[in-house]
Amino acid sequence: MPQLYHHPLCPHSRFVRLALGEYGVEVELIEERVHERRREFLMLDPAGRTPVLVEDNGMVIPGAGPIAEWLDETLGERLGDHRLLPASPVARVEVRRLMSWFNDKFFDEVTNWLVTEKVYKRFTATEIGGGGPDMDLLRAARANVRYHLRYISYLESTRRWLAGDKMTYSDLAAAAHLSCVDFLGDAPWDEEEPAKSWYQRLKSRPSFRPLLADRVPGVATNPIYAAVDF
Amino acid sequence: MPQLYHHPLCPHSRFVRLALGEYGVEVELIEERVHERRREFLMLDPAGRTPVLVEDNGMVIPGAGPIAEWLDETLGERLGDHRLLPASPVARVEVRRLMSWFNDKFFDEVTNWLVTEKVYKRFTATEIGGGGPDMDLLRAARANVRYHLRYISYLESTRRWLAGDKMTYSDLAAAAHLSCVDFLGDAPWDEEEPAKSWYQRLKSRPSFRPLLADRVPGVATNPIYAAVDF
């Protein structure tokens, strides 16, 4: 079985888990705490970041972007008309634009701050940056998440899914990041009904179920996190 | 003629300029100062980041990753055996891994700090983050660049180009970032001969020439920046 090195609150790992679920590929999940810089993990991928996919033949594919492209190139056609990265180059531009929007921009402005400040810093020694959360960063992240939810609502106002009339990697990337925000209780769903109903649709997919069962020892989970009807 | 919104010291723009040069595509360069958040630019790409490519038919392709994939999908086969993103999915993984290494990791650990602290902050009002450079960040960036040059030397010890025996997007991404570092005089080439000779090979390509003519008003250019023999 392929292996996926991941962390339950790493949004890029979650994106890949959702994609694998949609492709129907089962993987063995191996939890990796990247800040521990474990030697064996760095030998797999010197960049030392999750996610890393290891195929049955030992081939290593590191990083959400390269993994998404690899899965499309090797399994994409299998999904036919529901391909997560559509076949036409023009349609691929919009899907990749929004993948980058969430995996890069949303990560920089929201997920990275929330997860680092609320979770990773608690498990890091004070001498190397651990400690209590920086409240200014949390406030900025919570302000930014509103702007991104509005953007999702805006996209939803003209399209059924974020990049068009079919679900694509764009939706999985956005939902992966928002699921981390929601885990920590920082997604103000009631302010953005269209974004909420889009997220509900994704949350009810079988590929989402394993993510909803995730728990992190020592970190409280938002009570509505696992509820499909919230 | 297609248009490229770029900034002379934006490494992701430089990567795309090198790629366009290798494809033999001429573009009109439009300098964009993204921190000014110009309305017309945000209408083109709400993410508000350079580079943004606008094709003759008005199609907008934002971001280095989506642009690189778009160019490969529409022009890649033209380069035959010298395709910048090789045809085989297995080879593509290594090229995309190293593209991400430089466009994401190197950017986070080196280029973003150097360019922000030494250039962008000088042109930004103090109330919104402008001012003198943060010397701790500059020191960290300069320490990190040594580690990355060693990694390039290591890759060069077993391969002719970074991802294998042909020049690919990996080389262009790495060279684009290092060209910004070199512009600012922060690349200690003499410590890493293999990395230096790899960069010399890239620097002597016709696609590189326009980058070597770049100047930024008010920012001193490293005297050896434009020299192919340095």
Side-chain angles (χ1 to χ4, degrees), chain B residues 2 11 13 15 20 43 46 57-58 60 71 77 81 113 129 154-155 162 178 181 184 189 191 197 207 211 217-218 220:
Chain B
S13 302
F15 163 61
L20 289 164
M43 305 252 304
N57 64 2
V60 177
L71 293 175
E77 286 182 1
D81 200 27
W113 285 341
Y154 160 77
L155 292 171
L162 295 189
L178 279 163
V181 176
L184 298 169
W189 294 116
E191 295 176 16
S197 89
S207 65
L211 276 65

Side-chain angles (χ1 to χ4, degrees), chain B residues 77-125:
Chain B
E77 286 182 1
R78 210 195 250 193
L79 300 185
D81 200 27
H82 293 279
R83 194 162 170 174
L84 296 169
L85 192 56
S88 120
V90 171
R92 289 163 95 87
V93 167
E94 182 64 354
V95 173
R96 290 197 181 107
R97 175 182 83 82
L98 289 167
M99 270 169 73
S100 166
W101 183 286
F102 291 99
N103 281 338
D104 301 326
K105 185 176 166 68
F106 190 98
F107 180 71
D108 286 348
E109 298 174 356
V110 180
T111 346
N112 191 22
W113 285 341
L114 288 179
V115 174
T116 302
E117 296 302 320
K118 292 180 100 169
V119 182
Y120 294 157
K121 275 173 78 172
R122 294 174 58 170
F123 301 109
T124 305

Side-chain angles (χ1 to χ4, degrees), chain A residues 106-121:
Chain A
F106 189 98
F107 179 72
D108 286 350
E109 297 174 357
V110 180
T111 346
N112 191 23
W113 285 341
L114 288 179
V115 174
T116 302
E117 296 303 320
K118 291 181 102 168
V119 182
Y120 295 157
K121 275 174 78 173

Side-chain angles (χ1 to χ4, degrees), chain B:
Chain B
M1 195 186 288
Q3 298 177 311
L4 185 74
Y5 291 80
H6 84 122
H7 186 275
L9 285 181
C10 160
H12 301 106
S13 302
R14 285 178 164 238
F15 163 61
V16 168
R17 288 166 68 197
L18 289 174
L20 289 164
E22 293 293 332
Y23 287 116
V25 174
E26 267 197 82
V27 292
E28 181 194 348
L29 289 176
I30 300 172
E31 189 173 323
E32 187 64 41
R33 298 180 176 199
V34 295
H35 53 271
E36 292 177 1
R37 299 188 62 74
R38 200 167 58 84
R39 192 161 173 275
E40 290 76 10
F41 182 62
L42 293 173
M43 305 252 304
L44 267 188
D45 174 29
R49 297 181 176 186
T50 47
V52 176
L53 178 68
V54 183
E55 292 283 11
D56 281 333
N57 64 2
M59 187 174 160
V60 177
I61 305 112
I67 294 172
E69 299 286 346
W70 164 257
L71 293 175
D72 176 68
E73 284 167 2
T74 53
L75 305 172
E77 286 182 1
R78 210 195 250 193
L79 300 185
D81 200 27
H82 293 279
R83 194 162 170 174
L84 296 169
L85 192 56
S88 120
V90 171
R92 289 163 95 87
V93 167
E94 182 64 354
V95 173
R96 290 197 181 107
R97 175 182 83 82
L98 289 167
M99 270 169 73
S100 166
W101 183 286
F102 291 99
N103 281 338
D104 301 326
K105 185 176 166 68
F106 190 98
F107 180 71
D108 286 348
E109 298 174 356
V110 180
T111 346
N112 191 22
W113 285 341
L114 288 179
V115 174
T116 302
E117 296 302 320
K118 292 180 100 169
V119 182
Y120 294 157
K121 275 173 78 172
R122 294 174 58 170
F123 301 109
T124 305
T126 324
E127 2 12 313
I128 54 167
D134 179 326
M135 297 311 287
D136 286 340
L137 289 182
L138 290 187
R139 261 190 296 273
R142 285 179 187 134
N144 291 341
V145 79
R146 293 192 149 80
Y147 155 81
H148 285 284
L149 284 180
R150 272 201 303 279
Y151 189 51
I152 289 173
S153 288
Y154 160 77
L155 292 171
E156 281 298 291
S157 68
T158 54
R159 304 164 169 184
R160 180 162 160 75
W161 297 95
L162 295 189
D165 59 358
K166 298 272 169 62
M167 189 189 75
T168 65
Y169 277 151
S170 305
D171 299 281
L172 304 186
H177 284 265
L178 279 163
S179 74
C180 291
V181 176
D182 195 40
F183 187 101
L184 298 169
D186 289 315
W189 294 116
D190 290 338
E191 295 176 16
E192 291 294 335
E193 280 298 331
K196 178 176 174 174
S197 89
W198 159 87
Y199 187 63
Q200 273 171 330
R201 257 187 292 145
L202 280 155
K203 217 171 163 179
S204 61
R205 296 185 73 83
S207 65
F208 223 98
R209 223 164 284 151
L211 276 65
L212 299 180
D214 279 352
R215 294 295 176 272
V216 178
V219 179
T221 316
N222 173 17
I224 62 146
Y225 169 70
V228 172
D229 190 13
F230 54 100

